[in-house]
Amino acid sequence: MTDRPQIYVGTYGKYANGSIAGAWVSLDEHDTEESFYAAARALHKNEHDPELMFQDYEGFPSDLYGESHLDERLWEFLALDEHDREVVSAWLSENGGTDSIEYIKDSYLSRADSWQDYVDVYVDEHILPDIPESLRHYFDYEKYGRDLRHDYTVADVSGGVIIFLNN
């Protein structure tokens, strides 16, 4: 992901009065949920008990965002390295849902330039060695790839695909 993770924080009180006044809060600067909420409340210290409203977000998957709440997995996502963030983002983009970050990481199989490239390597390494040399040229990689895809989730990402094994 190229965007840095951040949330635009306003309040329902201001919004009800016709204002979207608030500010972007960088999640890179707040490594815990408590730190983030403290900073968000400090932005609106002019309200007695601000009811926070998360009006926009960027730099993390939409499944982890809500206007009135943030998914508890967000903080685990933010602790991931760039590779794992891309993997989790690809899974959520493809599947959505409430799967745990650990489940998503465990389902990750590979990254490839394309699904067919993955199939070609898989067949060459795992299927063809068991087939007599004289029959190998009859193998249909494309058809095998279509059948094999039922066992996988394939998410398009910049520069290729990320492949997950369906558990």
Side-chain angles (χ1 to χ4, degrees), residues 26 40 43 50 56 58 63 73 82 93 95 103 127 143 147 151 154 164 166:
S26 171
L43 280 172
D56 202 357
E58 60 184 27
D63 286 78
R73 297 173 297 168
E82 188 175 330
S93 174
N95 297 304
Y103 175 84
I127 305 295
K143 284 184 183 177
D147 290 345
D151 295 330
V154 181
F164 300 91
N166 292 339

Side-chain angles (χ1 to χ4, degrees), residues 91 94-95 107-110 115 118-119 122 126 144-155 162-167:
W91 173 273
E94 195 66 30
N95 297 304
S107 298
Y108 171 75
L109 190 59
S110 183
W115 170 248
Y118 174 79
V119 170
Y122 180 85
H126 300 284
Y144 185 77
R146 277 196 310 266
D147 290 345
L148 189 64
R149 189 158 179 158
H150 294 287
D151 295 330
Y152 298 87
T153 296
V154 181
I162 292 181
I163 302 159
F164 300 91
L165 184 59
N166 292 339
N167 296 325

Side-chain angles (χ1 to χ4, degrees), residues 116 119 123 136-146:
Q116 193 59 52
V119 170
V123 168
R136 290 182 185 175
H137 69 280
Y138 291 106
F139 193 88
D140 189 328
Y141 287 76
E142 189 176 323
K143 284 184 183 177
Y144 185 77
R146 277 196 310 266

Side-chain angles (χ1 to χ4, degrees), residues 62-117:
S62 63
D63 286 78
L64 305 179
Y65 163 81
E67 180 183 283
S68 61
H69 75 284
L70 300 173
D71 190 293
E72 62 188 27
R73 297 173 297 168
L74 175 59
W75 311 106
E76 189 176 353
F77 174 83
L78 295 171
L80 298 173
D81 63 29
E82 188 175 330
H83 171 266
D84 286 345
R85 280 186 184 188
E86 181 183 42
V87 166
V88 170
S89 296
W91 173 273
L92 291 174
S93 174
E94 195 66 30
N95 297 304
T98 59
D99 295 315
S100 73
I101 301 290
E102 197 60 36
Y103 175 84
I104 294 168
K105 287 172 46 181
D106 287 347
S107 298
Y108 171 75
L109 190 59
S110 183
R111 182 185 175 105
D113 291 336
S114 70
W115 170 248
Q116 193 59 52
D117 284 346

